[in-house]
Amino acid sequence: MTDLLKKYLFQDHSVRVQALKLDEAWRTGLAHQSYPPCVQRLLGELAAAAVLLAANIKFDGSLVLQLQGDGPVSLIVVECTSDLSIRATASLREGLAVPRNGSLQSLLNSQGQGRFIVVLDPRQRNATMQPYQGVVPLEGDSVAQVLEHYMRTSEQLDTRLWLAADAGHASGLLLQRMPDQGGVQGPAPGHDTWDRAVALASTLEPGELLELDTDTLIHRLFWEESLLAFDPQAVRWHCPCTRERVANMLRMLGQEEVEDILSQRNQIDVSCNFCGKPYQFDAIDCTRLFTNPQDTPPSGAGSIH
């Protein structure tokens, strides 16, 4: 398993370090999704950030990060569960060209109406555990800056992020200043450690996040520091779409509409709205939908084309 999140603490427990490099999981996620390189980069950076942040949630559920835009890109969204299963997708606005060297602001915030949304969604909901949603303006020139601004203003946590992504990898490094036992960020003792950690991480050269494995990266940055290492956590790509769910969606359309679609083409092609995975149903498959109905609850996890 190469896709591992690795966690460390500085010896005085005042600074958390997390590092991640996604290879197989990221390439799996892109297998059925094709985006311009600038959009792919933003999606990969948000995916890496979601894993880094989801690793610290204290409940069974998921963290959802959304970049909601008014430019050529209408939405970039990543979901990461508490067991570090991720899925991610982007939606482009029809009729608007994506600039070759588009930036976060030009792609998502050209009219100043872009938003960054954080959703914490517990699997089991009760009186003390309800979904949370935070919405802030899209401030910053990069995904890292957007997240740092959110964490500083909404969570009151000093957080620094370094993110990178291309077609083969999505990587990230997170530094977070830990609160003291009273819930307030530590003053004197941890202040020097925080400044030193940020200064060391800021020596990262462009491309190192993508080129180096996590162990080499951490050693190169913090070889003079005493870090407490925790057990690594595996990360995987997972979208819950299945052929069975798509079949139930077609059953919901009804036999008459399905047959009408088949009369215009040889098969029905359905793609998952989230991950883009294709599903095909020919005439025989569609006949079986209505002669052998299943009791599985319906799901609308696809679009017909």
Side-chain angles (χ1 to χ4, degrees), residues 63-132:
L63 166 73
V64 180
L65 302 182
Q66 295 183 35
L67 298 172
Q68 203 171 81
D70 56 21
V73 179
S74 61
L75 180 69
I76 295 178
V77 58
V78 179
E79 179 182 25
C80 185
T81 63
S82 47
D83 66 357
L84 303 191
S85 297
I86 61 168
R87 58 177 181 158
T89 193
S91 298
L92 308 185
R93 186 164 276 111
E94 190 173 351
L96 291 183
V98 175
R100 181 178 179 84
N101 297 313
S103 65
L104 182 144
Q105 290 294 329
S106 67
L107 293 171
L108 288 137
N109 202 27
S110 58
Q111 305 299 318
Q113 300 300 310
R115 293 290 181 266
F116 175 58
I117 302 170
V118 176
V119 178
L120 297 174
D121 189 10
R123 199 181 310 275
Q124 299 295 328
R125 303 177 185 183
N126 52 48
T128 59
M129 186 66 69
Q130 292 293 321
Y132 162 84

Side-chain angles (χ1 to χ4, degrees), residues 28-40:
T28 299
L30 291 181
H32 304 295
Q33 304 188 84
S34 178
Y35 304 113
C38 58
V39 177
Q40 186 182 83

Side-chain angles (χ1 to χ4, degrees), residues 35-51:
Y35 304 113
C38 58
V39 177
Q40 186 182 83
R41 173 177 53 82
L42 293 178
L43 182 64
E45 290 177 358
L46 194 66
V51 175

Side-chain angles (χ1 to χ4, degrees), residues 133-166:
Q133 177 175 288
V135 183
V136 296
L138 200 57
E139 297 184 10
D141 294 326
S142 66
V143 172
Q145 289 180 10
V146 169
L147 280 159
E148 288 170 359
H149 172 73
Y150 174 83
M151 295 300 293
R152 185 171 57 251
T153 57
S154 299
E155 304 295 330
Q156 286 77 54
L157 278 176
D158 284 332
T159 303
R160 291 295 309 274
L161 283 154
W162 290 262
L163 304 169
D166 59 17

